[in-house]
Amino acid sequence: MFDFAVANLLFLESPAGVGFSYSDTPSDYYNFGDAKTAEDSYTFLLNWFERFPQYKHRDFYIAGESYAGHYVPQLSQLIYERNKGVKNPIINFKGFMVGNAVTDDYNDYVGTFEYWWTHGLISDSTYKTLQATCEGSSSEHPPIECIRALNTAQMEQGNIDPYSIYTKTCNYSAASASQKRRGRYPWMRGAYDPCTEQYAIQYFNLPEVQKAFHANITKLSYPWKTCSDIVGEYWTDSPLSMLPIYKELIAAGLRVWVFSGDTDSVVPLTATRYSIDALNLTTVANWYAWYDNSKVAGWSQIYKGLTFVTVTGAGHEVPLHRPRQAFILFRSFLENKAMQRN
Amino acid sequence: MFDFAVANLLFLESPAGVGFSYSDTPSDYYNFGDAKTAEDSYTFLLNWFERFPQYKHRDFYIAGESYAGHYVPQLSQLIYERNKGVKNPIINFKGFMVGNAVTDDYNDYVGTFEYWWTHGLISDSTYKTLQATCEGSSSEHPPIECIRALNTAQMEQGNIDPYSIYTKTCNYSAASASQKRRGRYPWMRGAYDPCTEQYAIQYFNLPEVQKAFHANITKLSYPWKTCSDIVGEYWTDSPLSMLPIYKELIAAGLRVWVFSGDTDSVVPLTATRYSIDALNLTTVANWYAWYDNSKVAGWSQIYKGLTFVTVTGAGHEVPLHRPRQAFILFRSFLENKAMQRN
């Protein structure tokens, strides 16, 4: 049904201190920020292309999700600017795609609080307090009243998975039984397993897996984790908005796609809708349902310079929740083809 | 696990012309409205209690969903007023409960459009047009610009089930195969079957089912349907708001519970949140997650005189999508007990 050979994929765990990426000077972990991450990733790419020269000059795209809503446009901007005036650039950069992406602190706050209230996750009173105390402030350094309101909101939300509000949370002790059942009944594989993150932590810490990946050959003093507390805690620069970079790269004619899984409450689609609206782009095709197998798979709007796509029923990580729709989305992005109408 | 003997249930297909309820004068079908429906239902109840006197004077509650957001409060008001000054009333009326209920045209419109936009179902431009052309108008007789915007909104939403936005639509030809599979694998019964309505239409038109129900003994000239076009098309009175009745019955000390399945886009939880907010009631317990089996089953807020409960992942008909949570809700209503915190 699908021709899967659409692209070569290169995964980068970034910045150093995250995943298997590391620094020879671990004190670096306390000094990371957006700018250093972009510079390091750029250096990595140059070295990688030297090591694998057969990939030089090919069409090159960057994609990422969540806080990569900062990493991806910033690295894109760096590559774009260093390529300026270069005739046949080694990194033949064509565009980027981000999903459930942190984009613009002001609009992200407005849209996130509205998502929480309209999805019934928080009280009327907390909604009002969040609007009064957080909106307009930096998400990296919010005022104390905003932090208090965010804590109240989290308490009101209860024990749900904020990254996928309608699916179950992981009950790890029951997970092995569920794994066994799916082993026996392979047609049940379609559903999202909320313990996926737990399995990944186990998996990437297995010595045989690390060996097969050629990873962790310097024997790090800490295990592979999904998030580095140190890197997160000591984070330095984090600009309030990526929208100026969007404007610059759209004006440069680069391909820019943005997508949202619509059941994520962490960086929800309403946040992204407000951020994109703030770009004041011309609409080429207004909001329409896109289809896969005659079923609505989400919605899309095409602007001059930017395409926005939602994937319905998908949480924070679209490829994890809706792998088939994510593949169609990825292929459409590479082919620069609009998502299919009915 | 459950003691199911919590109440006797009496189901009424109302008004006449709907389901198996009928009029000897079919021209009545062209003249129905809210007031006549309440009067007829009241007459039905009086006659029913005469026929089954052993149920007289017992605690009596009314419940309904969707447009029964009109029927239930209106019938409640009628019973309440006719009971005034009666010492030991035959209809010993104690309160009512409504779900995903049409309540107040203004707030329902505001909340419904906001739900559509925040759930990614419509474009920014259609959202603005709906707000400009529909809000403040009657939902029974909207202006032409509002009707146009509603049509655009429906087109943008595409072929989804508006009553349950994250579940599949019914593909009736494939339905029998799905039925068979569930017959073989009973543990898959938990999931909502989108063809339920189609099965019900077949089922209630089977002669043997009608015989067993003692239904349709006068041999109606039309089949059992889920909605009567004639009754709907020629509907007469439909007040803009039920909130005055809420105020009257809350002041009278009657029990009033309101619930919302939170994945319904037809009478969504945001519409109900705005309507309840307009009542300006005192909060007794602010928004909190309620639990079933240590899992978040929804949220609840207790006001002085009214309890609001949501059921997460449930569409327009909560008992159809979440039967277990609906039963807990129904039992809690009868016992007047708050939904359980973690």
Side-chain angles (χ1 to χ4, degrees):
Chain A
M1 182 157 36
F2 282 142
D3 174 9
F4 282 93
V6 297
N8 296 298
L9 285 172
L10 172 63
F11 291 91
L12 175 60
E13 292 184 310
S14 152
V18 156
F20 291 126
S21 292
Y22 65 96
S23 170
D24 288 330
T25 317
S27 64
D28 282 352
Y29 302 164
Y30 296 84
N31 288 298
F32 266 101
D34 281 21
K36 198 158 175 307
T37 301
E39 282 290 353
D40 282 3
S41 300
Y42 184 73
T43 304
F44 164 83
L45 284 176
L46 289 186
N47 289 330
W48 190 87
F49 278 109
E50 283 312 310
R51 172 72 183 76
F52 302 98
Q54 65 271 36
Y55 293 101
K56 283 180 180 179
H57 311 296
R58 297 201 190 187
D59 286 357
F60 183 78
Y61 299 91
I62 310 177
E65 297 180 325
S66 196
Y67 196 74
H70 273 213
Y71 298 150
V72 169
Q74 287 167 330
L75 177 57
S76 297
Q77 185 188 38
L78 204 58
I79 297 172
Y80 164 69
E81 288 180 349
R82 306 257 159 107
N83 275 352
K84 260 186 191 165
V86 178
K87 192 120 195 226
N88 182 22
I90 289 170
I91 308 179
N92 185 14
F93 183 58
K94 294 293 186 184
F96 72 81
M97 178 156 77
V98 292
N100 293 78
V102 178
T103 303
D104 176 90
D105 282 8
Y106 175 74
N107 287 296
D108 284 350
Y109 263 151
V110 171
T112 300
F113 303 151
E114 185 168 346
Y115 190 94
W116 293 351
W117 187 79
T118 57
H119 288 68
L121 308 181
I122 58 167
S123 65
D124 299 2
S125 55
T126 300
Y127 184 31
K128 280 172 199 150
T129 310
L130 286 166
Q131 290 175 315
T133 59
C134 296
E135 290 181 6
S137 75
S138 154
S139 65
E140 278 297 301
H141 304 290
I144 182 74
E145 297 81 12
C146 166
I147 294 173
R148 279 205 200 101
L150 288 166
N151 287 342
T152 306
Q154 200 185 352
M155 204 192 59
E156 288 174 353
Q157 290 180 17
N159 183 29
I160 59 166
D161 180 351
Y163 297 100
S164 174
I165 61 172
Y166 300 114
T167 55
K168 287 176 185 163
T169 53
C170 172
N171 182 347
Y172 200 38
S173 60
S176 55
S178 136
Q179 266 184 306
K180 269 179 214 148
R181 196 185 62 230
R182 281 182 305 121
R184 274 179 67 193
Y185 306 110
W187 59 82
M188 290 183 74
R189 268 176 186 275
Y192 163 65
D193 187 324
C195 294
T196 301
E197 184 178 346
Q198 309 307 320
Y199 305 147
I201 292 167
Q202 284 207 336
Y203 181 78
F204 286 117
N205 283 306
L206 292 174
E208 61 268 36
V209 169
Q210 297 185 352
K211 200 178 166 202
F213 272 47
H214 308 289
N216 198 13
I217 47 174
T218 59
K219 300 291 157 207
L220 297 170
S221 60
Y222 47 86
W224 187 96
K225 297 209 293 180
T226 36
C227 275
S228 163
D229 296 330
I230 293 168
V231 172
E233 192 73 32
Y234 291 87
W235 199 252
T236 60
D237 62 311
S238 176
L240 293 178
S241 181
M242 293 297 109
L243 296 181
I245 301 181
Y246 276 73
K247 283 178 189 158
E248 180 187 353
L249 300 187
I250 288 170
L254 289 168
R255 188 177 307 164
V256 177
W257 281 42
V258 177
F259 64 91
S260 285
D262 67 8
T263 57
D264 171 31
S265 75
V266 176
V267 190
L269 93 155
T270 43
T272 305
R273 294 191 82 169
Y274 280 121
S275 293
I276 292 175
D277 188 55
L279 286 170
N280 268 318
L281 302 169
T282 307
T283 293
V284 175
N286 207 6
W287 202 257
Y288 67 92
W290 67 273
Y291 286 77
D292 169 37
N293 260 341
S294 305
K295 289 184 196 82
V296 172
W299 284 263
S300 182
Q301 177 146 348
I302 305 171
Y303 301 89
K304 202 160 176 290
L306 185 149
T307 294
F308 182 41
V309 180
T310 73
V311 179
T312 192
H316 193 62
E317 295 93 3
V318 169
L320 181 64
H321 292 272
R322 292 283 183 272
R324 182 186 156 91
Q325 287 72 28
F327 175 74
I328 295 170
L329 168 63
F330 183 65
R331 193 183 50 187
S332 303
F333 165 68
L334 291 178
E335 296 175 349
N336 203 23
K337 272 191 190 162
M339 304 307 290
Q340 196 185 301
R341 291 168 191 269
N342 199 1
Chain B
M1 181 160 31
F2 281 142
D3 174 10
F4 283 92
V6 295
N8 296 299
L9 285 172
L10 172 63
F11 291 92
L12 175 61
E13 292 184 311
S14 153
V18 157
F20 291 127
S21 292
Y22 65 96
S23 169
D24 287 330
T25 316
S27 63
D28 283 353
Y29 302 164
Y30 296 85
N31 287 298
F32 266 101
D34 281 20
K36 200 159 174 307
T37 301
E39 281 291 351
D40 282 3
S41 300
Y42 183 73
T43 304
F44 164 83
L45 283 176
L46 289 187
N47 289 329
W48 190 87
F49 278 109
E50 282 312 308
R51 172 71 184 75
F52 302 99
Q54 64 271 34
Y55 293 102
K56 284 181 179 178
H57 312 294
R58 298 201 190 185
D59 286 356
F60 183 78
Y61 299 91
I62 311 177
E65 297 180 326
S66 196
Y67 196 75
H70 274 212
Y71 298 151
V72 169
Q74 288 168 329
L75 176 58
S76 297
Q77 185 188 37
L78 204 59
I79 297 172
Y80 165 69
E81 287 180 348
R82 305 256 159 107
N83 274 353
K84 259 186 192 164
V86 178
K87 192 120 197 226
N88 182 23
I90 289 169
I91 308 179
N92 185 14
F93 183 58
K94 294 293 186 186
F96 73 81
M97 178 156 76
V98 292
N100 294 77
V102 178
T103 302
D104 177 90
D105 282 8
Y106 176 74
N107 287 296
D108 284 349
Y109 264 149
V110 171
T112 300
F113 303 151
E114 186 169 346
Y115 189 94
W116 292 352
W117 187 80
T118 57
H119 287 69
L121 309 181
I122 59 168
S123 65
D124 298 3
S125 54
T126 300
Y127 185 32
K128 280 173 198 149
T129 310
L130 285 167
Q131 290 174 315
T133 58
C134 297
E135 288 180 7
S137 75
S138 153
S139 64
E140 278 296 302
H141 305 288
I144 182 74
E145 297 80 12
C146 167
I147 293 173
R148 279 204 200 103
L150 288 167
N151 287 341
T152 305
Q154 199 185 355
M155 204 190 59
E156 288 173 353
Q157 290 181 16
N159 182 30
I160 59 166
D161 180 352
Y163 297 100
S164 175
I165 61 172
Y166 300 114
T167 56
K168 287 178 185 161
T169 53
C170 172
N171 183 348
Y172 201 37
S173 60
S176 55
S178 136
Q179 265 184 306
K180 269 179 213 145
R181 198 185 60 230
R182 281 184 305 122
R184 276 180 66 192
Y185 306 111
W187 60 81
M188 290 183 73
R189 269 176 187 275
Y192 163 65
D193 186 325
C195 295
T196 301
E197 184 178 346
Q198 308 307 319
Y199 305 148
I201 292 168
Q202 284 206 334
Y203 181 78
F204 286 118
N205 283 306
L206 293 174
E208 61 269 34
V209 169
Q210 298 187 351
K211 201 178 163 200
F213 272 48
H214 308 290
N216 197 15
I217 47 175
T218 59
K219 300 293 157 204
L220 296 169
S221 61
Y222 48 85
W224 187 95
K225 295 208 296 181
T226 35
C227 275
S228 163
D229 297 329
I230 292 168
V231 171
E233 191 74 29
Y234 290 88
W235 198 253
T236 60
D237 62 309
S238 176
L240 292 178
S241 181
M242 293 296 107
L243 297 181
I245 301 182
Y246 276 73
K247 283 179 189 158
E248 181 187 352
L249 300 187
I250 288 170
L254 289 168
R255 187 178 307 164
V256 177
W257 280 42
V258 177
F259 64 91
S260 286
D262 67 8
T263 57
D264 172 30
S265 75
V266 176
V267 190
L269 93 155
T270 43
T272 304
R273 295 191 82 169
Y274 279 121
S275 293
I276 291 175
D277 188 56
L279 286 170
N280 269 315
L281 301 168
T282 307
T283 293
V284 175
N286 208 8
W287 202 259
Y288 67 92
W290 69 272
Y291 287 77
D292 168 38
N293 260 341
S294 305
K295 290 184 196 81
V296 172
W299 284 263
S300 181
Q301 178 147 347
I302 305 172
Y303 301 89
K304 202 160 175 291
L306 185 149
T307 294
F308 181 41
V309 180
T310 73
V311 179
T312 191
H316 193 61
E317 295 93 2
V318 168
L320 181 65
H321 293 272
R322 293 284 183 269
R324 181 185 157 94
Q325 288 71 28
F327 176 74
I328 294 170
L329 168 63
F330 183 64
R331 194 184 49 188
S332 303
F333 166 67
L334 291 177
E335 296 174 348
N336 204 22
K337 274 192 189 159
M339 305 306 292
Q340 196 186 300
R341 289 168 192 269
N342 198 4

